Amino acid sequence: MEIQQENNSKVLRVDSKEAWESFIAQSNNQGCPVFVHFTASWCVPSLAMNPCVEELATTYPNVQFLVVDVDEVKEVASKMGVKAMPTFILMKDGEVARKLIGANPDEIRKMIDACLRPTSIAG
């Protein structure tokens, strides 16, 4: 298992099922939400979203950002039900909190904001 970070990126590249499991376990232990960009090297909209995801990773330092190439780590893409690229999944406590298919920066930001908003406790 190798952690790949390119150009001081805050987005970690998942290169294996073992790396995926490690990142998810670590984030769960820290109580940290995980944002995953499922991409493919041949998918132009996915590639176009890379700068946006990098910016989000800087904006939301309390969220772990991962990128998964569906052709390189098919097992993870299949397990997460990814059938189209780009797909963005936000996980909290090891569970999928939100899922978005398609390159839509505004919706992605709303998705993260909604997940990070404290839930009110009725009493």
Side-chain angles (χ1 to χ4, degrees):
M1 176 179 79
E2 182 180 329
I3 296 174
Q4 294 182 6
Q5 272 184 289
E6 298 162 15
N7 305 335
N8 295 328
S9 170
K10 294 191 181 311
V11 181
L12 300 176
R13 185 173 221 30
V14 176
D15 65 355
S16 68
K17 178 182 170 232
E18 293 76 23
W20 168 263
E21 290 169 353
S22 175
F23 288 138
I24 298 302
Q26 182 181 16
S27 295
N28 288 346
N29 289 341
Q30 296 172 349
C32 175
V34 180
F35 180 88
V36 190
H37 175 195
F38 285 93
T39 185
S41 60
W42 46 263
C43 178
V44 174
S46 282
L47 298 176
M49 288 301 296
N50 287 340
C52 173
V53 173
E54 284 292 339
E55 180 188 327
L56 290 168
T58 301
T59 304
Y60 298 97
N62 297 330
V63 177
Q64 175 67 66
F65 283 79
L66 304 177
V67 63
V68 177
D69 185 307
V70 298
D71 293 324
E72 291 175 13
V73 197
K74 292 177 182 169
E75 196 172 359
V76 171
S78 176
K79 176 183 173 186
M80 299 306 293
V82 175
K83 295 180 178 17
M85 273 59 68
T87 293
F88 303 94
I89 293 179
L90 189 60
M91 299 176 70
K92 209 168 180 182
D93 302 320
E95 300 294 322
V96 174
R98 307 218 192 253
K99 184 174 185 177
L100 178 70
I101 299 169
N104 188 330
D106 291 336
E107 284 302 312
I108 290 170
R109 197 173 290 274
K110 286 179 195 171
M111 179 171 91
I112 295 171
D113 285 339
C115 186
L116 295 179
R117 213 175 293 130
T119 53
S120 59
I121 300 173

